[in-house]
Amino acid sequence: TRTPYGVANNAFDARFVPGGSSSGSGAIIGARLLTFALGTDTAGSGRIPAMFNGCVGIKPTPGKLSTLGVVPACKSLDCVSVFAQSVEDAAAAARIMESGSAGLEDPTWQPPGAAAGRRFQAGQAFRFAIPGPEFTSFAGPGGDSVAAGYAALFEEAAARLEGLGGTRVADFDFAPFATTAAMLYETAFLAERYAGVKYFLHANPAQTIHEDHANGTAANGTASNGTAHSSSTNGFSKIAANGFRAAKVEPQGPLPQLTPEDILADGRLERVTRAIIAGACGRTAVDLYGDLDRLRVLKAKARTQMAKVDFLLVPTAAHHYTIE
């Protein structure tokens, strides 16, 4: 859970994390305080908090809802997501947002209906698949009993789909999908995450980190405007706010090249975020084009597999960790 404002309470048990970067929205819907709330989703942030807080999370197809005004994480993949207490409420909110017109100001937005998927009627036959056992291990910090419970619930979900008229397709290779997901964190595609925050990274000098801070935030430091800030969440938010305000003004000339060590020492970023963005350093355009070629091959393999089914059923998360 990455936030300068403290960890939102999980709707069921405050000992457990409420989710990722949209966890506040998931927690408040899980607590039944609102009908719906918005979040973002690049790699699960609009779905994992929904699972952890017992509500519905909808991640639309990229471009279906405008992302104009959203601070980018990975611009080509970012989506505005919807949390709600029911699928019907989430879908109603998404339809209203889809009807908005961002126009050419948002190059990722598509007109309503352009990204429409197949809609199913009650009682209609359909085909689905689940990942093979090598991709659905629930072994984790909860031990064997928790893993067995997760596996049983996932199988129960698949059986419910069969009861609704679905046919489970056994001959399905999930490997292209898993490999593609890993590329988001292990290849030159990390450069897009770096690009989303590059002006922020250069806006204020990095602060010294004291790793003994349990929350991973920065130690005492001074922002570029000369105002001292403490390592409290309030100080962290002020530093972040100053950075994002400065990030709106693009500096003249090329930016200096940051090293992984520079980013890993930047106290304005949470530890996991620092590690992810630092992975972009040293990647080249040659690397990127090689990864793009690799991605095209994986897409072709994925399309071949998807021709066998109407949709996939996959676990939202394999584990649920405690905060401590």
Side-chain angles (χ1 to χ4, degrees):
T1 301
R2 299 178 291 278
T3 166
Y5 304 107
V7 179
N9 284 338
N10 181 280
F12 297 106
D13 191 330
R15 295 174 300 169
F16 287 83
V17 298
S21 57
S22 293
S23 57
S25 295
I28 201 167
I29 298 300
R32 305 297 188 261
L33 297 177
L34 295 173
T35 302
F36 75 92
L38 303 183
T40 56
D41 195 319
T42 302
S45 297
R47 292 160 285 167
I48 292 175
M51 171 191 171
F52 287 174
N53 291 281
C55 59
V56 172
I58 288 184
K59 175 194 177 292
T61 300
K64 193 173 180 67
L65 304 181
S66 172
T67 55
L68 193 66
V70 173
V71 175
C74 195
K75 199 167 186 179
S76 65
L77 299 176
D78 293 341
C79 299
V80 174
S81 61
V82 184
F83 294 88
Q85 297 179 28
S86 69
V87 173
E88 292 78 10
D89 285 347
R95 281 193 294 269
I96 293 172
M97 290 191 288
E98 185 184 2
S99 66
S101 178
L104 296 179
E105 292 184 22
D106 182 0
T108 66
W109 181 78
Q110 302 178 45
R118 179 177 175 185
R119 298 184 182 277
F120 294 92
Q121 303 297 323
Q124 178 181 343
F126 56 87
R127 301 165 301 160
F128 73 97
I130 63 175
E134 66 271 33
F135 301 107
T136 51
S137 171
F138 297 103
D144 293 342
S145 62
V146 172
Y150 267 59
L153 289 171
F154 185 58
E155 176 57 33
E156 180 183 315
R160 288 180 62 190
L161 288 177
E162 291 176 316
L164 292 171
T167 298
R168 191 185 315 197
V169 176
D171 179 23
F172 190 92
D173 182 11
F174 191 73
F177 301 88
T179 303
T180 300
M183 291 183 75
L184 186 60
Y185 294 98
E186 299 174 357
T187 68
F189 294 137
L190 284 166
E192 188 172 23
R193 291 185 177 272
Y194 185 107
V197 294
K198 61 182 178 181
Y199 297 123
F200 170 78
L201 293 174
H202 290 83
N204 287 315
Q207 294 176 285
T208 301
I209 298 170
H210 292 280
E211 292 296 347
D212 57 348
H213 284 224
N215 59 7
T217 57
N220 292 349
T222 303
S224 60
N225 61 6
T227 303
H229 298 297
S230 71
S231 60
S232 67
T233 55
N234 185 48
F236 186 101
S237 66
K238 288 179 181 177
I239 294 168
N242 288 338
F244 277 109
R245 280 197 297 271
K248 295 179 182 178
V249 180
E250 298 186 8
Q252 298 299 316
L255 294 171
Q257 182 65 44
L258 296 178
T259 67
E261 291 74 22
D262 292 330
I263 297 173
L264 291 171
D266 192 334
R268 297 166 298 164
L269 302 176
E270 193 272 347
R271 183 166 46 212
V272 174
T273 306
R274 295 195 303 264
I276 292 172
I277 296 176
C281 296
R283 310 279 183 175
T284 68
V286 175
D287 295 331
L288 177 59
Y289 276 94
D291 289 332
L292 285 170
D293 285 340
R294 184 182 172 200
L295 181 60
R296 279 189 282 268
V297 173
L298 288 168
K299 282 183 174 180
K301 292 180 177 179
R303 283 192 293 267
T304 299
Q305 295 304 310
M306 287 304 297
K308 304 175 182 179
V309 298
D310 295 301
F311 61 86
L312 293 177
L313 174 69
V314 300
T316 302
H319 315 116
H320 193 179
Y321 292 91
T322 58
I323 293 173
E324 298 297 331

